[in-house]
């Protein structure tokens, strides 16, 4: 297997073939409509063929192409079943695997970063990678003190390849739009580009992982492996065994699905409150289900990996999110609209009907209206169809809303997590997690304020 293909001309040629193929299929689709096949049927065939080619190319390239594919793959549940079904396996494979870099390259990086005698740091080191991702691959090893460890080695030239791919994908993002209904692809690519330098910095990643590992050290529900050693292009953490979430999605029991979904929601909302950081890469390859939860060996914990992309939120998630959610559930249309205007979700030049905004939001927040909610692909598809159909009021209103930069990553992480919950088909007590962890969701008791004033 060759090194990470990082010659710009090679990578660009592969990615450039995508829009040509998409354009060719669009012509084919136009021809089929002329001979009388329904636009909806042809559109779905076109979507399916586009997706098959896209994920084939993305899986071969690693780098930014694979990073984009992973980000996109969690939205698979928004696609019609007959389109999503044939390439679901390809998406799962993309989340968990990529072609490995040669052993000689791995050894070169380790020698350069850990020293000539790097092998003496390990009692054992497996040359065959245990996992591969967009910018690095993981090797299983035994550290010199006997601990089992995961050794993450960054691909040489990963940064250059990452940016090259994302720039190329950005050029034809409009053509990829039909893949995921209701989702604007270009901001997703822009945001991934903005995060490149952070993701390549294993020092920042180690710091974020240490913060989480310390905070969750005694947590019965969530396990974050400790950082063992870090240097440029090499990150060594404790090894954790467990069932990858992608396997739970494909073959898990309903009990495992529900437990994984509950813990995923808990981690999403509790993480920022407890650490001031939001884990911002919630695709299934970054999570494991491990035996040994609060109820004993028959119970489950959530293992969390890869802290390369985080959003820094010193005060936790913005209280405005919780306030808006609560007020929307209470039907306070005018107050919700005022809050959205104040935060920049509605630009000053735009005027909307407050009740129409409420009607737009209510179906999206259905999981927070009830004590427990079953996330399904059908529900996700209905939401995507509602905001993607140009004939619907939701589509027309959604086009006039704005997403402020400060909320961009939070929005993507929340959407991605919901996508994974729908892939799991999990029944989750979401409201319980919101009440516990989301600032502003539970109104402050006036008595609390009076008590603190009295104490002062």
């Amino acid at each position: 297997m060759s090194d990470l293909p990082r010659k710009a001309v090679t990578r660009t040629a592969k990615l450039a073939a995508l829009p040509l193929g998409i354009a060719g299929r669009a012509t084919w689709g136009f021809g089929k409509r002329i001979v009388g096949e329904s636009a909806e049927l042809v559109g779905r065939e076109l979507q399916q063929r586009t997706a098959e080619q896209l994920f084939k190319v993305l899986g071969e390239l690693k780098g930014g192409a694979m990073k984009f594919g992973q980000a996109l793959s969690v939205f698979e549940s928004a696609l019609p079943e007959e389109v999503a079904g044939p390439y679901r396996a390809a998406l799962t494979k993309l989340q968990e695997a990529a072609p490995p870099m040669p052993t000689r390259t791995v050894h070169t990086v380790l020698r350069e970063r850990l020293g000539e005698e790097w092998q003496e740091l390990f009692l054992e080191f497996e040359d065959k990678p245990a996992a591969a991702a967009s910018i690095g691959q993981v090797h299983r090893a035994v550290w010199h003190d006997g601990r089992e460890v995961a050794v993450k080695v960054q691909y040489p030239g990963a940064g250059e390849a990452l940016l090259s791919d994302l720039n190329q994908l950005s050029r034809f993002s409009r053509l990829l739009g039909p893949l995921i209904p209701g989702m604007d692809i270009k901001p997703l690519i822009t945001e991934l580009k903005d995060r490149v330098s952070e993701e390549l910095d294993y020092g920042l990643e180690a710091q974020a992982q240490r913060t989480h590992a310390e905070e969750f050290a005694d947590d019965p529900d969530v396990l974050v492996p400790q950082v063992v050693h870090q240097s440029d292009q090499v990150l060594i953490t404790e090894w954790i065994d467990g069932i990858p979430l992608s396997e739970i999605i494909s073959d898990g029991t309903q009990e495992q699905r529900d437990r994984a979904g509950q813990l995923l929601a808990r981690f999403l909302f509790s993480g920022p409150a407890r650490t001031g950081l939001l884990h911002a890469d919630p695709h299934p390859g970054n999570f494991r289900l491990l035996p040994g939860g609060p109820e004993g060996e028959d119970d489950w914990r959530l293992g969390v990996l890869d802290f390369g992309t985080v959003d820094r939120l010193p005060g936790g998630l913005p209280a405005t999110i919780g306030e808006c959610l609560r007020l929307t559930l209470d039907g306070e249309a005018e107050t919700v609209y005022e809050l959205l205007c104040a935060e920049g979700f509605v630009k000053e030049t735009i005027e909307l009907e407050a009740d129409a905004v409420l009607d737009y939001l209510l179906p999206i927040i259905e999981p927070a209206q009830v004590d427990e909610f079953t996330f399904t692909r059908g529900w996700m598809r209905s939401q995507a169809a509602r905001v993607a159909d140009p004939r619907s009021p939701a589509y027309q209103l959604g086009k006039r809303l704005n997403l402020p930069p400060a909320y961009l990553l939070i929005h993507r992480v929340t959407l991605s997590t919901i996508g994974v919950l729908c892939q799991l088909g999990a029944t989750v007590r979401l409201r319980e997690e919101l009440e516990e962890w989301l600032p502003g969701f539970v109104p402050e008791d006036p008595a609390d304020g009076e008590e603190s004033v009295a104490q002062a």
Side-chain angles (χ1 to χ4, degrees), residues 351-426:
E351 206 165 306
L352 300 171
E353 289 288 329
D355 287 331
V357 174
L358 199 71
D359 290 341
Y360 175 85
L361 293 173
L362 276 170
I364 302 169
I365 63 168
E366 187 183 352
Q369 293 175 299
V370 289
D371 287 339
E372 64 176 30
F373 183 82
T374 301
F375 289 86
T376 64
R377 287 184 164 97
W379 178 78
M380 185 80 163
R381 285 196 293 271
S382 70
Q383 294 301 321
R386 186 175 71 94
V387 298
D389 184 352
R391 297 165 296 182
S392 78
Y395 173 86
Q396 298 300 332
L397 190 142
K399 275 177 62 178
R400 304 182 72 196
L401 291 174
N402 176 56
L403 186 59
Y407 288 90
L408 186 64
L409 198 54
I410 296 169
H411 178 69
R412 179 168 77 80
V413 171
T414 306
L415 269 184
S416 299
T417 304
I418 290 170
V420 177
L421 295 177
C422 291
Q423 288 177 326
L424 283 164

Side-chain angles (χ1 to χ4, degrees), residues 186-233:
K186 193 153 192 172
L188 171 64
I189 297 173
T190 302
E191 194 254 305
L192 290 172
K193 280 166 63 177
D194 290 345
R195 298 277 158 181
V196 166
S197 59
E198 278 190 32
E199 184 146 4
L200 292 166
D201 188 333
Y202 280 0
L204 283 176
E205 180 172 348
Q207 188 181 2
Q209 185 156 340
R210 283 192 185 101
T211 301
H212 279 87
E214 188 178 323
E215 174 58 40
F216 287 91
D218 300 315
D219 195 287
D221 296 315
V222 176
L223 175 66
V224 177
Q226 295 282 350
V227 175
V228 174
H229 182 84
Q230 177 268 318
S231 64
D232 285 350
Q233 293 185 293

Side-chain angles (χ1 to χ4, degrees), residues 248-267:
I248 303 294
I249 288 169
S250 59
D251 300 311
T253 65
Q254 193 57 51
E255 182 190 6
Q256 289 173 324
R257 293 168 186 276
D258 292 346
R259 181 65 176 155
Q262 189 72 41
L263 294 179
L264 198 60
R266 184 166 302 163
F267 181 70

Side-chain angles (χ1 to χ4, degrees), residues 50-61 90:
T50 301
E52 283 168 356
Q53 186 195 1
L54 173 70
F55 287 104
K56 182 176 182 294
V57 172
L58 297 184
E60 288 171 358
L61 284 179

